[in-house]
Structure formats: structure tokens, C-alpha cells
């Protein structure tokens, strides 16, 4: 018998120790309605989408894409811990807690333990987070395995698949690359829509950068087209370590400046517009002052920034106006750029509008004790794991 205290973490494993009594099969969910007359549809009442992370991750499929080693796994595991514990995502966004399934398909239990220990910083690990290191692809039983876990955790809020390439399976024969990509995301979308949860697919971006972050997602447009939202994490220059670009059907298009904390492994949301954190210190200081004091002149700005001489402030303001970061009138006064002004002070890094209902900010529901072997529906596999 193995003396390893850590049992294998996969969908066919069984936790060590005394096993809970078998649970009765939950009733089948009612199939959602898919057709209405126009007057019926207008008279129908639909609940607001549930948010795993208000303003950023709504129910449905969200792609989280980024270049290798940018910190996608740190970000997604941090979100999983926050949602499972009902704490704060990005160290600042309150979330309603609920069970989370995290498929860490490129990690080992040891690596996960090390990463979580760093993120938790001495806090207790939430029992609501289930970590799995092996799962068959969607077409070969992965969808059914995840569905069984969701049936046994009806209060689940989120499923994270890191990485999507491990779950998509082989493309169907005789279909185009676009159709194959669309079908592969469709497996996750059916789960998200049926169970009303957020499914996050961690993915990669192309090597070639683009002004449109959506075109950077690896694969054809079928991947981003099938997803409900796309989040692209890109490295930034300046005070921020990353910029999270977000767009989607239920999510307002926005950008968020993030800072990676080496000591904790956590991504933190920075206050203020992204432009404040992606430029040099001098430009950032000028932007903050002009935003708080529209119509300021270089002399007044220089007095408020004593560590920068007046000539540097004057030249920098002129260059910022030429770059479109500031607007200058005929009297030599500077104003925030048009985009910042239209945000009415809320800033690009502030979370986009979403419903902060009691449903999404209530008490954290618990996670029922679960025999992971029941996910597979295979008694033989369970016996083998023991």
C-alpha cells in the first residue's frame, strides 16, 4: 500500500479515509425553453445573469487568453480560491462564494499545493474548491464527468479548465477549422448554459500582436465567436504588470490594470484608468493631476509635482497632447482626453456595470461532501483508485 499522503487528483479518484454514504441521484433538470412567439418573449421574465466575479466573469463561457508565462494560471487559480471562499477577487472585488471545479491539467499535486500555499498566505484552504489533474477530453467523456460533479454541487459557481487544449479533443472529420473550433467551445457552453455557471477556458494567444485583442486569440475566430466573453491578459509597460482586456455578451468592454505580487503570487486590481499605470511616472502624475484639476496649466502642474522641474512638465504636457493623452485649449490649459472625460470619473480600471443583487452578494453556500469516484460513473475505476 502506498504511503503517499496525497491521493491522486483526477475525476476517477477516491478521497482517502472514511467514505460518505452514497447519495441519491438528483432529479433531472428541466430542459430550458427555446421557442416563443414575439409577444410571449417580451412578456417573459428572465433573471439577471449570475456573476462569478461581478463585472468580469458572468455565467457562460469565458476565454482567458494570454501569452505563455504571463501568469494566467496564477490568475485563474486565485479567482478559483476567491470564489470558493466567498472572499475578494483581485484582492478588491467581493464575490459570492460557491463550489468551484478547477481542472489543472498541466500541473501536478505538488505544484498545485505550492502555488496555493503562496496564494493563501497562511489562510485556510477553502473546502469548496475541487482540484483535478486528469480529465478525459470533452468528446471522450469529459462533459459527462463535469456534469456529474455539477449535479452533486448544485450551488457551484465556476468551472476553470486550465488548459482548454487538453479538453477539446480531436476535431471532427470533414469540418473546417472554424467549425472545429466552434464545436470544441460548444461543449463547454452547453454545460455553462444548462447549469447556469461560469466556465473559464484558459487559452493561448498568437505570437503576432494585434491592435484588436480579440484577433490575438489562438485558433480561428470560431473560438472567440462561440464564447460568451473573451479576456486577454497582456503584459504592460509602466507601473502595471498586466492589462486585462475584457469584452462579451453580458460584460461591458473594458480594460483593467493589474499588478502581480511576487511574494503572494496574486494579481491585484489597480485603481484608476489603465492609462495611469501604463505610462511613465511623470506622465502618470500629470494625468492624475489634470484629471482632478481640468484646465490646469503647466506651472500649476509643476507646483503639484515638485520632484519634476517645470521645463520637463511643460515639454511632457505638450507631448501628451500630441499623443492624445491630454487636450489643450488656445489658452494653454490642459484637460483630460475625451475618453477619460466620458467615463465621468469611473476610470477604465473600475469594474463595468453589473447587477449587485443579493443573489450575487449573499452568504457563501457550502459544498456537499462528494465522492469523486461518482463523477466517472464507473465503480471499477473507483475500486482501482483505492
Amino acid at each position: 500500500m502506498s504511503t503517499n499522503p496525497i491521493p491522486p487528483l483526477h475525476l476517477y479518484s477516491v478521497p482517502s479515509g472514511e467514505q460518505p454514504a452514497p447519495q441519491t441521484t438528483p432529479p433531472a433538470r428541466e430542459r430550458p425553453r427555446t421557442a416563443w412567439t414575439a409577444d410571449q418573449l417580451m412578456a417573459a421574465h428572465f433573471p439577471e445573469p449570475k456573476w462569478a466575479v461581478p463585472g468580469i466573469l458572468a455565467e457562460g463561457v469565458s476565454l482567458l487568453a494570454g501569452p505563455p508565462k504571463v501568469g494566467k494560471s496564477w490568475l485563474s487559480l486565485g479567482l478559483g480560491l476567491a470564489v470558493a471562499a466567498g472572499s475578494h477577487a483581485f484582492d478588491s472585488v467581493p464575490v459570492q462564494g460557491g463550489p468551484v471545479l478547477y481542472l489543472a491539467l498541466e500541473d501536478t499535486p505538488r505544484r498545485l499545493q505550492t502555488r496555493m500555499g503562496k496564494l493563501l498566505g497562511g489562510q485556510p484552504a477553502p473546502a469548496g474548491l475541487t482540484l483535478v489533474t486528469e480529465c478525459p477530453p470533452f468528446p471522450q467523456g469529459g462533459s459527462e464527468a463535469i456534469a456529474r460533479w455539477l449535479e452533486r454541487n448544485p450551488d457551484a459557481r465556476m468551472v476553470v479548465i486550465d488548459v482548454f487544449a487538453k479538453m477539446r479533443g480531436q476535431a471532427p472529420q470533414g469540418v473546417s477549422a472554424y467549425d472545429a473550433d466552434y464545436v470544441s467551445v460548444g461543449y463547454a457552453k452547453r454545460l455553462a448554459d444548462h447549469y447556469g455557471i461560469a466556465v473559464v477556458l484558459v487559452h493561448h494567444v498568437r505570437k503576432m500582436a494585434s491592435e484588436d485583442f480579440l484577433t490575438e486569440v489562438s485558433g480561428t475566430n470560431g473560438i472567440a465567436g462561440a464564447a460568451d466573453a473573451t479576456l486577454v491578459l497582456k503584459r504592460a509597460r509602466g507601473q502595471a504588470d498586466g492589462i486585462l482586456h475584457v469584452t462579451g455578451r453580458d460584460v461591458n468592454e473594458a480594460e483593467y490594470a493589474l499588478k502581480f505580487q511576487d511574494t503572494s503570487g496574486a494579481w491585484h486590481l489597480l485603481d484608476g484608468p489603465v492609462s495611469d499605470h501604463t505610462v511613465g511616472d511623470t506622465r502618470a502624475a500629470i494625468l492624475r493631476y489634470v484629471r482632478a484639476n481640468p484646465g490646469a496649466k503647466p506651472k500649476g502642474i509643476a507646483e503639484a509635482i515638485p520632484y519634476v522641474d517645470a521645463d520637463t512638465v511643460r515639454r511632457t504636457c505638450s507631448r501628451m497632447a500630441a499623443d492624445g493623452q491630454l487636450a489643450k485649449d488656445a489658452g494653454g490649459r490642459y484637460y483630460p482626453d475625451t475618453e477619460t472625460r466620458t467615463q465621468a470619473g469611473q476610470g477604465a480600471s473600475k469594474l463595468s456595470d453589473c447587477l449587485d443583487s443579493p443573489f450575487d452578494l449573499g452568504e457563501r453556500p457550502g459544498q456537499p461532501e462528494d465522492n469523486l469516484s461518482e463523477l466517472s460513473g464507473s465503480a471499477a475505476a473507483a475500486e482501482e483508485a483505492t
Side-chain angles (χ1 to χ4, degrees), residues 237-239 255 257 271-298 300-302 304-305 307-308 312-314 316-328 334-341 343 345 347-349:
R237 292 180 300 173
Q239 299 165 318
E255 296 178 338
D271 293 331
V274 166
S275 57
D276 285 5
H277 306 285
T278 55
V279 297
D281 291 343
T282 299
R283 290 199 180 200
I286 292 173
L287 277 172
R288 287 192 292 269
Y289 183 81
V290 174
R291 192 171 291 115
N293 302 274
K297 289 190 173 184
I301 299 173
I305 313 175
Y307 56 86
V308 182
T312 299
V313 169
R314 185 174 62 255
T316 304
C317 286
S318 179
R319 290 169 183 158
M320 292 175 70
D323 293 341
Q325 294 172 329
L326 293 177
K328 182 181 179 181
Y334 288 91
Y335 299 86
D337 60 284
T338 302
E339 180 182 355
T340 303
R341 198 180 318 159
Q343 289 165 358
S349 280

Side-chain angles (χ1 to χ4, degrees), residues 297-379:
K297 289 190 173 184
K299 181 180 179 181
I301 299 173
E303 291 174 352
I305 313 175
Y307 56 86
V308 182
D309 64 82
D311 286 340
T312 299
V313 169
R314 185 174 62 255
R315 289 194 302 269
T316 304
C317 286
S318 179
R319 290 169 183 158
M320 292 175 70
D323 293 341
Q325 294 172 329
L326 293 177
K328 182 181 179 181
D329 67 10
R333 290 178 288 268
Y334 288 91
Y335 299 86
D337 60 284
T338 302
E339 180 182 355
T340 303
R341 198 180 318 159
T342 58
Q343 289 165 358
Q346 64 182 3
S349 280
K350 182 175 178 180
L351 294 179
S352 55
D353 295 334
C354 63
L355 180 67
D356 291 332
S357 66
F359 179 85
D360 278 37
L361 297 176
E363 291 185 349
R364 180 176 74 88
Q367 180 185 28
E369 291 189 5
D370 184 62
N371 185 334
L372 295 182
S373 66
E374 295 179 359
L375 293 172
S376 66
S378 171

Side-chain angles (χ1 to χ4, degrees), residues 54-125:
I56 295 180
L57 285 176
E59 65 178 90
V61 174
S62 294
L63 284 173
L64 173 59
K69 311 303 181 185
V70 74
K72 300 185 298 296
S73 292
W74 284 102
L75 191 152
S76 56
L77 182 56
L79 292 178
L81 286 166
V83 174
S87 56
H88 289 77
F90 300 110
D91 202 34
S92 58
V93 185
V95 298
Q96 180 186 1
V100 174
L101 176 62
Y102 189 95
L103 305 185
L105 304 179
E106 291 187 325
D107 284 314
T108 63
R110 178 195 57 77
R111 190 181 301 132
L112 283 173
Q113 184 187 66
T114 300
R115 192 176 296 160
M116 275 200 303
K118 193 172 183 179
L119 285 164
L120 289 168
Q123 297 296 316

Side-chain angles (χ1 to χ4, degrees), residues 6-74:
I6 304 177
L9 296 179
H10 52 76
L11 290 186
Y12 304 105
S13 66
V14 179
S16 59
E18 184 179 352
Q19 303 302 313
Q23 300 181 13
T24 59
T25 303
R29 291 174 180 254
E30 181 181 353
R31 182 177 180 180
R33 184 176 178 178
T34 57
W36 300 263
T37 60
D39 59 333
Q40 290 173 340
L41 183 59
M42 292 305 298
H45 172 73
F46 300 100
E48 291 292 329
K50 292 186 295 184
W51 293 88
V53 179
I56 295 180
L57 285 176
E59 65 178 90
V61 174
S62 294
L63 284 173
L64 173 59
K69 311 303 181 185
V70 74
K72 300 185 298 296
S73 292
W74 284 102

